[in-house]
């Protein structure tokens, strides 16, 4: 069951920027957005107005990970660091959207990278455009969070036309150690076409763990399903015998009966 939503505290510099964005200047309010022109038009066609560009970040120190040289296993310290840093970045982005009284955030992008000044540190950055429905209605998650979506403006528009609403940007991750080959295994495979069962099994296990965690986030938010799912495998960060799977998507629900979607005004060429 989802916990009641409490916005994360924001630094004074972010609060000052958001306050300026939310107060009309000379009778009009200026918004900022990282949406393309096509996406902006289609989000507007879906009945939403942009309020401002929002972001959250977190630089996280990674603890010591002990691994078994000869056994496939999840590197739980690394996985947990990824989750914690990502959650902090997302919650701060949501807090900025909440400060603008937004219904949600569209076009969410989340990036992470290592820094040269510390190989044991990782940074997560979450960005998007806060939006508010012009028709009103309850578009937030069951816990009261602004909805988040990584769908393009075109996909967001199509989702609304089909009678669905985004709930949350969901992510599952797993950092997994691939067991080293024994000397006997290495000699047996030398010069042969042969499956590498330790790599095959590690890939299966890591992918399934990431997928199940992504689905768990959607179930937590009482979504009906997940669209735009993609599974990304990376191996260059943690070393040659460690792989990382990311499963990402946008969880969705059917639109409440009391919410009226705006009628489509035209067939836009951007969909072609």
């Amino acid at each position: 069951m989802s916990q009641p939503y409490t916005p994360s505290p924001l630094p004074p510099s972010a609060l000052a920027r958001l306050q300026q964005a939310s107060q009309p200047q000379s009778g009009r309010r200026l918004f900022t957005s990282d949406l393309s022109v096509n996406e902006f038009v289609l989000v507007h066609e879906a009945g939403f107005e942009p309020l401002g560009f929002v972001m959250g970040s977190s630089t996280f120190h990674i603890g010591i990970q002990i691994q078994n040289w000869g056994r496939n296993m999840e590197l739980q310290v690394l996985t947990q660091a990824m989750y914690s840093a990502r959650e902090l970045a997302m919650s701060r982005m949501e807090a900025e959207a909440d400060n603008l009284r937004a219904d949600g955030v569209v076009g969410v992008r989340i990036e992470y990278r290592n820094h040269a000044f510390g190989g044991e540190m990782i940074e997560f950055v979450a960005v998007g455009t806060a939006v508010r429905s012009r028709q009103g209605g309850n578009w937030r998650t069951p816990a009261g969070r602004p909805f988040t979506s990584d769908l393009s403006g075109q996909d967001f528009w199509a989702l609304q036309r089909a009678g669905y609403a985004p709930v949350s940007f969901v992510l599952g991750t797993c950092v997994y150690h691939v067991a080293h080959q024994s000397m006997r295994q290495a000699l047996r495979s030398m010069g042969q076409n042969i499956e590498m069962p330790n790599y095959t099994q590690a890939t299966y296990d890591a992918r399934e763990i990431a997928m199940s965690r992504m689905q768990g986030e959607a179930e937590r938010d009482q979504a009906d399903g997940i669209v735009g799912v993609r599974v990304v495998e990376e191996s260059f960060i943690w070393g040659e015998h460690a792989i990382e799977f990311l499963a990402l998507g946008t969880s969705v629900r059917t639109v409440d009966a009391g919410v009226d979607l705006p009628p489509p005004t035209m067939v836009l060429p951007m969909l072609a």
Side-chain angles (χ1 to χ4, degrees), residues 146-175:
F147 75 77
T148 50
S149 167
D150 69 335
L151 299 176
S152 68
Q154 290 87 337
D155 288 341
F156 181 77
W157 182 88
L159 188 73
Q160 299 288 335
R161 300 268 62 78
Y164 285 86
V167 179
S168 56
F169 174 71
V170 289
L171 179 148
T173 186
C174 177
V175 184

PDB file of all heavy atoms in Angstrom, residues 146-175:
ATOM      1  N   PRO A 146       2.519  13.864  -7.683  1.00  0.00           N
ATOM      2  CA  PRO A 146       2.279  14.211  -9.083  1.00  0.00           C
ATOM      3  C   PRO A 146       2.605  13.009  -9.969  1.00  0.00           C
ATOM      4  O   PRO A 146       3.558  12.276  -9.691  1.00  0.00           O
ATOM      5  CB  PRO A 146       3.261  15.365  -9.333  1.00  0.00           C
ATOM      6  CG  PRO A 146       3.596  15.899  -7.971  1.00  0.00           C
ATOM      7  CD  PRO A 146       3.534  14.730  -7.049  1.00  0.00           C
ATOM      8  N   PHE A 147       1.801  12.788 -10.999  1.00  0.00           N
ATOM      9  CA  PHE A 147       2.129  11.678 -11.901  1.00  0.00           C
ATOM     10  C   PHE A 147       3.432  11.993 -12.628  1.00  0.00           C
ATOM     11  O   PHE A 147       3.799  13.157 -12.811  1.00  0.00           O
ATOM     12  CB  PHE A 147       0.990  11.400 -12.876  1.00  0.00           C
ATOM     13  CG  PHE A 147       0.839  12.391 -14.014  1.00  0.00           C
ATOM     14  CD1 PHE A 147       1.692  12.364 -15.118  1.00  0.00           C
ATOM     15  CD2 PHE A 147      -0.168  13.349 -13.991  1.00  0.00           C
ATOM     16  CE1 PHE A 147       1.568  13.257 -16.164  1.00  0.00           C
ATOM     17  CE2 PHE A 147      -0.313  14.255 -15.033  1.00  0.00           C
ATOM     18  CZ  PHE A 147       0.564  14.220 -16.124  1.00  0.00           C
ATOM     19  N   THR A 148       4.146  10.965 -13.031  1.00  0.00           N
ATOM     20  CA  THR A 148       5.383  11.123 -13.791  1.00  0.00           C
ATOM     21  C   THR A 148       5.341  10.188 -14.995  1.00  0.00           C
ATOM     22  O   THR A 148       4.845   9.062 -14.898  1.00  0.00           O
ATOM     23  CB  THR A 148       6.629  10.802 -12.936  1.00  0.00           C
ATOM     24  OG1 THR A 148       6.455   9.529 -12.292  1.00  0.00           O
ATOM     25  CG2 THR A 148       6.846  11.866 -11.874  1.00  0.00           C
ATOM     26  N   SER A 149       5.841  10.649 -16.114  1.00  0.00           N
ATOM     27  CA  SER A 149       5.790   9.868 -17.346  1.00  0.00           C
ATOM     28  C   SER A 149       7.002  10.170 -18.207  1.00  0.00           C
ATOM     29  O   SER A 149       7.377  11.338 -18.364  1.00  0.00           O
ATOM     30  CB  SER A 149       4.505  10.204 -18.123  1.00  0.00           C
ATOM     31  OG  SER A 149       4.568   9.698 -19.441  1.00  0.00           O
ATOM     32  N   ASP A 150       7.599   9.131 -18.765  1.00  0.00           N
ATOM     33  CA  ASP A 150       8.707   9.334 -19.692  1.00  0.00           C
ATOM     34  C   ASP A 150       8.254   9.217 -21.146  1.00  0.00           C
ATOM     35  O   ASP A 150       9.076   9.158 -22.051  1.00  0.00           O
ATOM     36  CB  ASP A 150       9.853   8.358 -19.409  1.00  0.00           C
ATOM     37  CG  ASP A 150       9.499   6.912 -19.742  1.00  0.00           C
ATOM     38  OD1 ASP A 150       8.293   6.572 -19.734  1.00  0.00           O
ATOM     39  OD2 ASP A 150      10.430   6.109 -19.981  1.00  0.00           O
ATOM     40  N   LEU A 151       6.932   9.187 -21.366  1.00  0.00           N
ATOM     41  CA  LEU A 151       6.412   9.113 -22.730  1.00  0.00           C
ATOM     42  C   LEU A 151       6.690  10.417 -23.477  1.00  0.00           C
ATOM     43  O   LEU A 151       6.741  11.488 -22.884  1.00  0.00           O
ATOM     44  CB  LEU A 151       4.905   8.853 -22.708  1.00  0.00           C
ATOM     45  CG  LEU A 151       4.439   7.548 -22.059  1.00  0.00           C
ATOM     46  CD1 LEU A 151       2.911   7.494 -22.047  1.00  0.00           C
ATOM     47  CD2 LEU A 151       5.012   6.340 -22.784  1.00  0.00           C
ATOM     48  N   SER A 152       6.836  10.302 -24.787  1.00  0.00           N
ATOM     49  CA  SER A 152       6.966  11.502 -25.612  1.00  0.00           C
ATOM     50  C   SER A 152       5.631  12.246 -25.620  1.00  0.00           C
ATOM     51  O   SER A 152       4.590  11.709 -25.222  1.00  0.00           O
ATOM     52  CB  SER A 152       7.346  11.107 -27.042  1.00  0.00           C
ATOM     53  OG  SER A 152       6.258  10.414 -27.662  1.00  0.00           O
ATOM     54  N   GLY A 153       5.652  13.503 -26.070  1.00  0.00           N
ATOM     55  CA  GLY A 153       4.407  14.252 -26.176  1.00  0.00           C
ATOM     56  C   GLY A 153       3.403  13.565 -27.078  1.00  0.00           C
ATOM     57  O   GLY A 153       2.194  13.564 -26.805  1.00  0.00           O
ATOM     58  N   GLN A 154       3.880  12.957 -28.173  1.00  0.00           N
ATOM     59  CA  GLN A 154       2.998  12.247 -29.086  1.00  0.00           C
ATOM     60  C   GLN A 154       2.334  11.053 -28.407  1.00  0.00           C
ATOM     61  O   GLN A 154       1.125  10.850 -28.528  1.00  0.00           O
ATOM     62  CB  GLN A 154       3.796  11.766 -30.316  1.00  0.00           C
ATOM     63  CG  GLN A 154       4.237  12.905 -31.232  1.00  0.00           C
ATOM     64  CD  GLN A 154       5.569  13.514 -30.812  1.00  0.00           C
ATOM     65  OE1 GLN A 154       5.979  13.416 -29.651  1.00  0.00           O
ATOM     66  NE2 GLN A 154       6.254  14.159 -31.750  1.00  0.00           N
ATOM     67  N   ASP A 155       3.133  10.262 -27.662  1.00  0.00           N
ATOM     68  CA  ASP A 155       2.572   9.099 -26.973  1.00  0.00           C
ATOM     69  C   ASP A 155       1.646   9.520 -25.838  1.00  0.00           C
ATOM     70  O   ASP A 155       0.634   8.859 -25.576  1.00  0.00           O
ATOM     71  CB  ASP A 155       3.702   8.217 -26.426  1.00  0.00           C
ATOM     72  CG  ASP A 155       4.439   7.476 -27.531  1.00  0.00           C
ATOM     73  OD1 ASP A 155       3.884   7.347 -28.634  1.00  0.00           O
ATOM     74  OD2 ASP A 155       5.572   7.026 -27.281  1.00  0.00           O
ATOM     75  N   PHE A 156       1.977  10.606 -25.162  1.00  0.00           N
ATOM     76  CA  PHE A 156       1.123  11.113 -24.095  1.00  0.00           C
ATOM     77  C   PHE A 156      -0.242  11.500 -24.661  1.00  0.00           C
ATOM     78  O   PHE A 156      -1.287  11.192 -24.075  1.00  0.00           O
ATOM     79  CB  PHE A 156       1.807  12.308 -23.431  1.00  0.00           C
ATOM     80  CG  PHE A 156       1.039  12.923 -22.294  1.00  0.00           C
ATOM     81  CD1 PHE A 156       1.004  12.313 -21.052  1.00  0.00           C
ATOM     82  CD2 PHE A 156       0.348  14.113 -22.468  1.00  0.00           C
ATOM     83  CE1 PHE A 156       0.297  12.880 -19.997  1.00  0.00           C
ATOM     84  CE2 PHE A 156      -0.356  14.687 -21.430  1.00  0.00           C
ATOM     85  CZ  PHE A 156      -0.390  14.068 -20.187  1.00  0.00           C
ATOM     86  N   TRP A 157      -0.262  12.181 -25.790  1.00  0.00           N
ATOM     87  CA  TRP A 157      -1.505  12.571 -26.448  1.00  0.00           C
ATOM     88  C   TRP A 157      -2.319  11.334 -26.821  1.00  0.00           C
ATOM     89  O   TRP A 157      -3.528  11.271 -26.570  1.00  0.00           O
ATOM     90  CB  TRP A 157      -1.174  13.399 -27.683  1.00  0.00           C
ATOM     91  CG  TRP A 157      -2.371  13.922 -28.448  1.00  0.00           C
ATOM     92  CD1 TRP A 157      -3.036  15.082 -28.240  1.00  0.00           C
ATOM     93  CD2 TRP A 157      -3.003  13.283 -29.565  1.00  0.00           C
ATOM     94  NE1 TRP A 157      -4.056  15.221 -29.153  1.00  0.00           N
ATOM     95  CE2 TRP A 157      -4.060  14.136 -29.970  1.00  0.00           C
ATOM     96  CE3 TRP A 157      -2.789  12.090 -30.245  1.00  0.00           C
ATOM     97  CZ2 TRP A 157      -4.899  13.822 -31.042  1.00  0.00           C
ATOM     98  CZ3 TRP A 157      -3.635  11.771 -31.315  1.00  0.00           C
ATOM     99  CH2 TRP A 157      -4.669  12.631 -31.697  1.00  0.00           C
ATOM    100  N   ALA A 158      -1.663  10.339 -27.434  1.00  0.00           N
ATOM    101  CA  ALA A 158      -2.368   9.124 -27.844  1.00  0.00           C
ATOM    102  C   ALA A 158      -2.924   8.365 -26.639  1.00  0.00           C
ATOM    103  O   ALA A 158      -4.019   7.792 -26.702  1.00  0.00           O
ATOM    104  CB  ALA A 158      -1.431   8.227 -28.650  1.00  0.00           C
ATOM    105  N   LEU A 159      -2.183   8.359 -25.544  1.00  0.00           N
ATOM    106  CA  LEU A 159      -2.640   7.678 -24.332  1.00  0.00           C
ATOM    107  C   LEU A 159      -3.928   8.324 -23.818  1.00  0.00           C
ATOM    108  O   LEU A 159      -4.884   7.621 -23.447  1.00  0.00           O
ATOM    109  CB  LEU A 159      -1.545   7.752 -23.263  1.00  0.00           C
ATOM    110  CG  LEU A 159      -1.760   6.926 -21.992  1.00  0.00           C
ATOM    111  CD1 LEU A 159      -1.574   5.447 -22.281  1.00  0.00           C
ATOM    112  CD2 LEU A 159      -0.785   7.370 -20.903  1.00  0.00           C
ATOM    113  N   GLN A 160      -3.973   9.655 -23.815  1.00  0.00           N
ATOM    114  CA  GLN A 160      -5.172  10.353 -23.374  1.00  0.00           C
ATOM    115  C   GLN A 160      -6.357  10.045 -24.279  1.00  0.00           C
ATOM    116  O   GLN A 160      -7.478   9.832 -23.799  1.00  0.00           O
ATOM    117  CB  GLN A 160      -4.913  11.864 -23.358  1.00  0.00           C
ATOM    118  CG  GLN A 160      -3.814  12.317 -22.432  1.00  0.00           C
ATOM    119  CD  GLN A 160      -4.205  12.222 -20.976  1.00  0.00           C
ATOM    120  OE1 GLN A 160      -5.375  12.262 -20.646  1.00  0.00           O
ATOM    121  NE2 GLN A 160      -3.222  12.061 -20.104  1.00  0.00           N
ATOM    122  N   ARG A 161      -6.132  10.016 -25.571  1.00  0.00           N
ATOM    123  CA  ARG A 161      -7.215   9.736 -26.512  1.00  0.00           C
ATOM    124  C   ARG A 161      -7.789   8.341 -26.298  1.00  0.00           C
ATOM    125  O   ARG A 161      -8.960   8.091 -26.593  1.00  0.00           O
ATOM    126  CB  ARG A 161      -6.715   9.862 -27.956  1.00  0.00           C
ATOM    127  CG  ARG A 161      -6.190  11.219 -28.319  1.00  0.00           C
ATOM    128  CD  ARG A 161      -7.273  12.120 -28.917  1.00  0.00           C
ATOM    129  NE  ARG A 161      -8.395  12.407 -28.034  1.00  0.00           N
ATOM    130  CZ  ARG A 161      -8.354  13.300 -27.055  1.00  0.00           C
ATOM    131  NH1 ARG A 161      -7.255  13.973 -26.796  1.00  0.00           N
ATOM    132  NH2 ARG A 161      -9.407  13.532 -26.304  1.00  0.00           N
ATOM    133  N   ALA A 162      -6.965   7.410 -25.835  1.00  0.00           N
ATOM    134  CA  ALA A 162      -7.418   6.032 -25.608  1.00  0.00           C
ATOM    135  C   ALA A 162      -8.104   5.858 -24.256  1.00  0.00           C
ATOM    136  O   ALA A 162      -8.561   4.763 -23.932  1.00  0.00           O
ATOM    137  CB  ALA A 162      -6.235   5.075 -25.712  1.00  0.00           C
ATOM    138  N   GLY A 163      -8.169   6.931 -23.445  1.00  0.00           N
ATOM    139  CA  GLY A 163      -8.858   6.857 -22.168  1.00  0.00           C
ATOM    140  C   GLY A 163      -7.992   6.392 -21.017  1.00  0.00           C
ATOM    141  O   GLY A 163      -8.506   5.870 -20.021  1.00  0.00           O
ATOM    142  N   TYR A 164      -6.681   6.584 -21.137  1.00  0.00           N
ATOM    143  CA  TYR A 164      -5.760   6.209 -20.060  1.00  0.00           C
ATOM    144  C   TYR A 164      -5.011   7.432 -19.555  1.00  0.00           C
ATOM    145  O   TYR A 164      -4.866   8.432 -20.269  1.00  0.00           O
ATOM    146  CB  TYR A 164      -4.742   5.164 -20.550  1.00  0.00           C
ATOM    147  CG  TYR A 164      -5.311   3.783 -20.702  1.00  0.00           C
ATOM    148  CD1 TYR A 164      -5.951   3.406 -21.880  1.00  0.00           C
ATOM    149  CD2 TYR A 164      -5.232   2.852 -19.677  1.00  0.00           C
ATOM    150  CE1 TYR A 164      -6.487   2.140 -22.032  1.00  0.00           C
ATOM    151  CE2 TYR A 164      -5.754   1.574 -19.814  1.00  0.00           C
ATOM    152  CZ  TYR A 164      -6.385   1.236 -20.990  1.00  0.00           C
ATOM    153  OH  TYR A 164      -6.922  -0.028 -21.135  1.00  0.00           O
ATOM    154  N   ALA A 165      -4.542   7.324 -18.338  1.00  0.00           N
ATOM    155  CA  ALA A 165      -3.750   8.392 -17.728  1.00  0.00           C
ATOM    156  C   ALA A 165      -2.460   7.803 -17.178  1.00  0.00           C
ATOM    157  O   ALA A 165      -2.461   6.672 -16.664  1.00  0.00           O
ATOM    158  CB  ALA A 165      -4.537   9.062 -16.605  1.00  0.00           C
ATOM    159  N   PRO A 166      -1.340   8.531 -17.263  1.00  0.00           N
ATOM    160  CA  PRO A 166      -0.095   8.040 -16.667  1.00  0.00           C
ATOM    161  C   PRO A 166      -0.162   8.094 -15.153  1.00  0.00           C
ATOM    162  O   PRO A 166      -0.828   8.960 -14.580  1.00  0.00           O
ATOM    163  CB  PRO A 166       0.966   9.007 -17.201  1.00  0.00           C
ATOM    164  CG  PRO A 166       0.207  10.262 -17.489  1.00  0.00           C
ATOM    165  CD  PRO A 166      -1.168   9.845 -17.916  1.00  0.00           C
ATOM    166  N   VAL A 167       0.499   7.171 -14.507  1.00  0.00           N
ATOM    167  CA  VAL A 167       0.570   7.137 -13.046  1.00  0.00           C
ATOM    168  C   VAL A 167       1.977   7.502 -12.577  1.00  0.00           C
ATOM    169  O   VAL A 167       2.174   8.482 -11.874  1.00  0.00           O
ATOM    170  CB  VAL A 167       0.163   5.759 -12.489  1.00  0.00           C
ATOM    171  CG1 VAL A 167       0.257   5.738 -10.958  1.00  0.00           C
ATOM    172  CG2 VAL A 167      -1.249   5.397 -12.931  1.00  0.00           C
ATOM    173  N   SER A 168       2.963   6.708 -12.992  1.00  0.00           N
ATOM    174  CA  SER A 168       4.320   6.985 -12.525  1.00  0.00           C
ATOM    175  C   SER A 168       5.347   6.368 -13.462  1.00  0.00           C
ATOM    176  O   SER A 168       5.095   5.364 -14.124  1.00  0.00           O
ATOM    177  CB  SER A 168       4.527   6.462 -11.099  1.00  0.00           C
ATOM    178  OG  SER A 168       4.244   5.081 -11.025  1.00  0.00           O
ATOM    179  N   PHE A 169       6.477   7.021 -13.497  1.00  0.00           N
ATOM    180  CA  PHE A 169       7.651   6.482 -14.183  1.00  0.00           C
ATOM    181  C   PHE A 169       8.225   5.388 -13.290  1.00  0.00           C
ATOM    182  O   PHE A 169       8.623   5.650 -12.153  1.00  0.00           O
ATOM    183  CB  PHE A 169       8.665   7.602 -14.393  1.00  0.00           C
ATOM    184  CG  PHE A 169       9.984   7.149 -14.956  1.00  0.00           C
ATOM    185  CD1 PHE A 169      10.085   6.728 -16.263  1.00  0.00           C
ATOM    186  CD2 PHE A 169      11.126   7.157 -14.165  1.00  0.00           C
ATOM    187  CE1 PHE A 169      11.309   6.320 -16.783  1.00  0.00           C
ATOM    188  CE2 PHE A 169      12.343   6.753 -14.669  1.00  0.00           C
ATOM    189  CZ  PHE A 169      12.433   6.334 -15.996  1.00  0.00           C
ATOM    190  N   VAL A 170       8.215   4.155 -13.762  1.00  0.00           N
ATOM    191  CA  VAL A 170       8.626   3.019 -12.935  1.00  0.00           C
ATOM    192  C   VAL A 170       9.942   2.455 -13.461  1.00  0.00           C
ATOM    193  O   VAL A 170      10.209   2.454 -14.660  1.00  0.00           O
ATOM    194  CB  VAL A 170       7.549   1.917 -12.897  1.00  0.00           C
ATOM    195  CG1 VAL A 170       6.353   2.392 -12.082  1.00  0.00           C
ATOM    196  CG2 VAL A 170       7.087   1.514 -14.296  1.00  0.00           C
ATOM    197  N   LEU A 171      10.742   1.984 -12.530  1.00  0.00           N
ATOM    198  CA  LEU A 171      12.076   1.500 -12.878  1.00  0.00           C
ATOM    199  C   LEU A 171      12.452   0.342 -11.963  1.00  0.00           C
ATOM    200  O   LEU A 171      12.206   0.379 -10.762  1.00  0.00           O
ATOM    201  CB  LEU A 171      13.095   2.630 -12.751  1.00  0.00           C
ATOM    202  CG  LEU A 171      14.559   2.325 -13.047  1.00  0.00           C
ATOM    203  CD1 LEU A 171      15.246   3.564 -13.626  1.00  0.00           C
ATOM    204  CD2 LEU A 171      15.319   1.898 -11.777  1.00  0.00           C
ATOM    205  N   GLY A 172      13.035  -0.683 -12.560  1.00  0.00           N
ATOM    206  CA  GLY A 172      13.627  -1.763 -11.781  1.00  0.00           C
ATOM    207  C   GLY A 172      15.074  -1.919 -12.194  1.00  0.00           C
ATOM    208  O   GLY A 172      15.415  -1.786 -13.377  1.00  0.00           O
ATOM    209  N   THR A 173      15.944  -2.164 -11.247  1.00  0.00           N
ATOM    210  CA  THR A 173      17.362  -2.290 -11.575  1.00  0.00           C
ATOM    211  C   THR A 173      17.972  -3.458 -10.832  1.00  0.00           C
ATOM    212  O   THR A 173      17.496  -3.860  -9.765  1.00  0.00           O
ATOM    213  CB  THR A 173      18.126  -0.992 -11.233  1.00  0.00           C
ATOM    214  OG1 THR A 173      19.476  -1.091 -11.698  1.00  0.00           O
ATOM    215  CG2 THR A 173      18.143  -0.734  -9.738  1.00  0.00           C
ATOM    216  N   CYS A 174      19.019  -4.007 -11.401  1.00  0.00           N
ATOM    217  CA  CYS A 174      19.746  -5.095 -10.768  1.00  0.00           C
ATOM    218  C   CYS A 174      21.187  -5.083 -11.268  1.00  0.00           C
ATOM    219  O   CYS A 174      21.429  -5.133 -12.483  1.00  0.00           O
ATOM    220  CB  CYS A 174      19.101  -6.447 -11.097  1.00  0.00           C
ATOM    221  SG  CYS A 174      20.000  -7.878 -10.426  1.00  0.00           S
ATOM    222  N   VAL A 175      22.127  -4.988 -10.340  1.00  0.00           N
ATOM    223  CA  VAL A 175      23.549  -5.111 -10.669  1.00  0.00           C
ATOM    224  C   VAL A 175      23.972  -6.519 -10.266  1.00  0.00           C
ATOM    225  O   VAL A 175      23.764  -6.933  -9.117  1.00  0.00           O
ATOM    226  CB  VAL A 175      24.401  -4.052  -9.943  1.00  0.00           C
ATOM    227  CG1 VAL A 175      25.862  -4.156 -10.390  1.00  0.00           C
ATOM    228  CG2 VAL A 175      23.860  -2.647 -10.207  1.00  0.00           C
TER     229      VAL A 175
END
